[in-house]
Amino acid sequence: MDSHPSAVSESSVVSDNEQKDLSTDPVYREEQAYLSEVYAKLERMRDEIGEELETGHAGAAQDLKDLSEEIRIDFGGADETMETLAAIETLNSVIDAYNQYHDFTTDKLRRVLLLLQRPYFAKVRLRMRPGRPPRDIYIGAVGITDEKRRPLIVDWRSPVAETYYNQEMGDTSYEVDGRTRHVTLELRRQFEITRDHLDMYFDTTVAIQDSLLLESLRRHHTEKLQAITATIQREQNEVIRHKDIDVLIVNGVAGSGKTSVMLQRIAYLLYRERETLSPDQVFLFTPNDVFESYIDTVLPSLGEANPQVRTWRSFLTELGLSERGTGADDNPQILLDLDQGLKDLVLEPDDFHEIAVDGRVLLKTSQVVSAAEKFERFGVCPRFSSLVKDDLHERLERRLTSLSKDADLQEEVLSLNIDEQIEAFGETINPLDEDETIRWTRAYLTPQFERAHELVERGDWLRVDRIGMRILGTRGLSAAAWLYLKIAITGNSAKNVRYVLIDEVQDYTETQLLVLARYFSQAHFMLLGDEFQAIREGTASFPQIRNVFAADGKREVEEVELLTSYRSSPEITDLFASLLPQDKQVRLTSVHPSGIAPVISEFVDGSISDEGRAKYLSALREEVANASDQEGLTAIITLDRGRMGWLAKQLGDTVRVMHRDDTLPADGVVLLDLTLAKGLEFDGVIIPDAQADVYPDEPLARRRLYTAISRAMHRVTILSQGKITPLLSL
């Protein structure tokens, strides 16, 4: 790429306070001129592609019309049939070519439109070889080439862009197709750009300095999570571009950007494997619907479609298991007992089910039992189920052939009126002989048999509940136990899913993780969480999480840590860090400049009297009023929904009460419980009821308080209706 505006000799930062001098800054003027040039090219591309699509559609329609008119349908003889089929194949090839061209062109238009919002956010100047001129490479959310097919803007996920994220001035390297390229990074320049206007630029010659990050962190909360593409830090980049392994566990402190890293990782995978990976092959598990809404614009802002997003409950609902208890809190030993019980299990006739569709029995239970008995020597396992399914499919086909010759069914077909014929066959019928009657009867029955084949493939010929209850000696199976057992017997799972990412993994139990590991047996997992944000009893510890995935010895498991807080001010970070073990406190850092000191107040007058409660509520209402006047969004975070309900009555319409399927507003004051607040961030946080009996000095309460405090970016107020928790000191 050609070299553009020259470097400055020293580290320089152009900030809001210096914008009055931008007109005299030669670097700024050069960069603004180049931005204007690039933006004009993007606008021309947009207009040319739009015109190209419009004329292309008209031309394609005319070509297809002409080709269609040239085809003469003739199946009168072998030669005529071959010519007709060849002409149809030619037409289909033309249609495919037009579709491919349309998809390519619309994808380019999509990238251009995305870049018109912000063409790029960074530039690196690289000397590829000694003695050769350096190259300027501009980095954006997506990549685009100019009219000569030269890179105009490079995608942030491209290998060469790694030199920007490595933050290594001087000699550095990046990998392309498994080969390491050594280069010299001479300039790392960051931009704040609004469409075609350069707001500011930063030259970073010190690896640890990231002016764009600090500038972005000054801003207030938004109702939607924003992409961090321009401000990805080195430790985050190492996770995003981590080599593809079976299981990657990311243990990050509060505010370390785990969710953002996860979404950037998805975007990176979709880019790196764009020829073979589609978004529907990626599953993302989120804590709740509020969180799902909070993150739903990040990937589209990077030009990628969202993956399959689920909560644990919606995952079970999609599988038809919503009527059962979720089983999330089942003892994991139940699943191990099911595995053990299958080893010596002998199926009984009552363990099987007939195959019936719309009240018509297509295979009797005795026929299913007969098929299973042929393969019982293999034991109850996926191989057994596969062999039984093959046999049942064959029996269904024989049954279809037999029914097609049934006189009563043939009469039923011949008695269809014209509307019923068109609904069943798409045309009217007039069988001329017995063979045609059989053929139409078979066509009439085929939809029923297709559904029957689906039932066979799903393993619905097995009574999983009965088998499981017999193994466990119980009167019912939860959704988790039922699904685990069904997969163990049939092997039916989401084998087409390639990646599964689980956010807030510390909130999952061993049972949930065992089920997900088995259901997505062919997928690679990325598990993100914070071991100190496990706010429920009975969830899996990080060693237990590792063991779930490593126990069978078939999965490679690696764990990485994120120890820098990008969310909270140093004062807030110090406060929630004080709740961590000493070794974590020492290693945890915040990148923010100094901010507002947390406010901690207790209201004690012996036992809590009406007067004491009135003072407490008066202070809380004053904090809500102050927060309402502040820029951004403030959250009142209660320990549970019971306390939330009581406070909602006390505060009335001065706050907005958040429920599971709500979307966060951009500003104001919201009231929500800790479970719903997980994974979210707010400009300010108010923690009411921080008294000793709500947050006693024990590990679970310590993790809950740490989680609540760490939701805050700029302001924290903690109030206790009685003696303050011993976890904090005044």
Side-chain angles (χ1 to χ4, degrees), residues 346-359:
V346 177
L347 293 174
E348 301 173 353
D350 286 345
D351 293 331
F352 298 95
H353 202 288
E354 66 185 14
I355 300 296
V357 176
D358 296 336

Side-chain angles (χ1 to χ4, degrees), residues 394-670:
E394 292 176 7
R395 290 174 186 250
L396 279 172
E397 287 303 308
R398 292 198 296 271
R399 175 74 165 145
L400 175 58
T401 299
S402 174
L403 287 175
S404 299
K405 299 175 182 178
D406 182 272
D408 290 339
L409 280 171
Q410 290 180 354
E411 183 62 31
E412 183 178 330
V413 171
L414 295 174
S415 300
L416 296 174
N417 61 39
I418 291 177
D419 291 340
E420 291 169 335
Q421 290 177 27
I422 292 174
E423 181 180 353
F425 309 113
E427 59 181 302
T428 59
I429 64 172
N430 184 26
L432 299 177
D433 54 32
E434 179 67 16
D435 288 343
E436 282 196 24
T437 302
I438 291 174
R439 181 164 63 85
W440 287 116
T441 304
R442 189 181 185 91
Y444 179 68
L445 293 170
T446 294
Q448 289 189 40
F449 277 79
E450 286 177 352
R451 293 198 293 277
H453 283 298
E454 291 172 6
L455 295 176
V456 168
E457 201 58 35
R458 288 193 340 225
D460 285 7
W461 41 275
L462 279 166
R463 299 176 65 182
V464 175
D465 274 302
R466 188 178 191 279
I467 296 169
M469 289 187 293
R470 195 161 81 254
I471 292 174
L472 298 174
T474 60
R475 299 181 62 181
L477 296 184
S478 69
W482 187 94
L483 181 57
Y484 189 86
L485 180 59
K486 180 76 174 285
I487 302 168
I489 297 174
T490 66
N492 290 354
S493 60
K495 294 184 174 65
N496 65 315
V497 175
R498 293 180 51 195
Y499 293 97
V500 175
L501 300 96
I502 303 177
D503 205 4
E504 304 291 344
V505 70
Q506 77 281 343
D507 290 338
Y508 284 71
T509 63
E510 284 187 80
T511 294
Q512 289 174 294
L513 295 174
L514 283 166
V515 170
L516 293 175
R518 175 162 286 184
Y519 186 76
F520 298 102
S521 58
Q522 304 300 312
H524 285 190
F525 281 78
M526 185 179 187
L527 312 170
L528 303 98
D530 178 356
E531 58 187 320
F532 300 108
Q533 289 189 62
I535 61 172
R536 291 197 304 118
E537 291 280 14
T539 54
S541 66
F542 270 66
Q544 289 171 328
I545 292 169
R546 172 182 282 272
N547 186 60
V548 164
F549 289 92
D552 59 9
K554 297 178 181 178
R555 286 186 169 109
E556 176 189 4
V557 181
E558 187 174 330
E559 184 172 339
V560 297
E561 287 186 310
L562 296 174
L563 292 170
T564 302
S565 174
Y566 301 100
R567 175 187 298 144
S568 305
S569 67
E571 292 82 357
I572 296 172
T573 301
D574 289 344
L575 181 60
F576 68 70
S578 69
L579 299 167
L580 298 178
Q582 186 63 36
D583 65 319
K584 289 282 186 181
Q585 292 183 36
V586 172
R587 298 165 64 197
L588 197 158
T589 60
S590 169
V591 300
H592 285 265
S594 295
I596 303 169
V599 175
I600 304 175
S601 302
E602 67 177 14
F603 296 85
V604 181
D605 60 346
S607 61
I608 292 297
S609 63
D610 290 343
E611 182 181 354
R613 182 169 288 109
K615 291 180 179 179
Y616 163 78
L617 287 173
S618 176
L620 178 57
R621 290 181 179 121
E622 183 178 349
E623 288 295 333
V624 170
N626 291 337
S628 299
D629 293 334
Q630 297 275 357
E631 187 177 353
L633 182 65
T634 296
I636 305 172
I637 301 177
T638 66
L639 182 61
D640 51 48
R641 297 194 68 80
R643 295 177 184 277
M644 187 180 83
W646 182 79
L647 280 176
K649 294 178 181 178
Q650 307 306 314
L651 298 174
D653 59 6
T654 61
V655 300
R656 175 176 170 181
V657 180
M658 297 297 297
H659 300 288
R660 189 166 297 276
D661 56 352
D662 290 342
T663 299
L664 284 175
D667 49 30
V669 182
V670 295

Side-chain angles (χ1 to χ4, degrees), residues 128-148:
M128 300 297 187
R129 296 176 187 172
R132 298 288 298 273
R135 293 170 56 192
D136 283 354
I137 297 171
Y138 287 80
I139 302 169
V142 294
I144 202 81
T145 56
D146 63 16
E147 65 278 1
K148 296 181 180 179

Side-chain angles (χ1 to χ4, degrees), residues 56-241:
H57 284 163
Q62 186 60 49
D63 288 347
L64 294 176
K65 181 175 181 294
D66 294 342
L67 283 170
S68 299
E69 290 174 349
E70 291 175 9
I71 296 176
R72 297 291 179 264
I73 305 298
D74 187 352
F75 295 106
D79 292 341
E80 291 81 0
T81 298
M82 290 297 292
E83 288 180 8
T84 299
L85 293 175
I88 293 173
E89 182 62 29
T90 299
L91 179 60
N92 288 337
S93 298
V94 172
I95 293 172
D96 289 342
Y98 276 127
N99 286 338
Q100 290 175 9
Y101 173 76
H102 175 270
D103 291 344
F104 172 81
T105 308
T106 53
D107 179 66
K108 187 173 183 179
L109 179 60
R110 173 187 60 80
R111 285 181 284 127
V112 169
L113 293 174
L114 189 61
L115 292 173
L116 282 170
Q117 299 175 45
R118 186 188 190 189
Y120 45 81
F121 55 80
K123 175 176 85 172
V124 290
R125 176 167 294 149
L126 300 177
R127 189 174 297 277
M128 300 297 187
R129 296 176 187 172
R132 298 288 298 273
R135 293 170 56 192
D136 283 354
I137 297 171
Y138 287 80
I139 302 169
V142 294
I144 202 81
T145 56
D146 63 16
E147 65 278 1
K148 296 181 180 179
R149 303 187 67 80
R150 296 176 303 186
L152 182 64
I153 299 166
V154 169
D155 193 298
W156 70 274
R157 296 162 290 187
S158 67
V160 71
E162 191 165 359
T163 59
Y164 169 73
Y165 295 111
N166 281 343
Q167 297 184 343
E168 292 177 346
M169 300 303 296
D171 293 339
T172 186
S173 63
Y174 62 96
E175 292 205 3
V176 183
D177 299 327
R179 298 179 60 186
T180 301
R181 293 204 61 178
H182 296 279
V183 296
T184 301
L185 177 60
E186 297 185 351
L187 175 71
R188 182 177 184 268
R189 180 167 291 164
Q190 303 170 312
F191 302 107
E192 273 287 1
I193 291 173
T194 305
R195 297 190 177 275
D196 61 347
H197 182 262
L198 177 59
D199 301 321
M200 65 186 79
Y201 75 90
F202 312 95
D203 279 357
T204 306
T205 59
V206 182
I208 61 172
Q209 179 183 340
D210 195 316
S211 304
L212 193 60
L213 171 68
L214 296 177
E215 183 66 27
S216 69
L217 292 178
R218 292 191 190 105
R219 298 169 186 156
H220 289 273
H221 157 88
T222 56
E223 67 271 29
K224 298 286 186 179
L225 184 67
Q226 306 297 305
I228 61 167
T229 313
T231 58
I232 294 169
Q233 298 304 289
R234 183 167 183 170
E235 66 171 358
Q236 297 172 326
N237 185 57
E238 289 172 357
V239 175
I240 293 166
R241 296 176 188 255

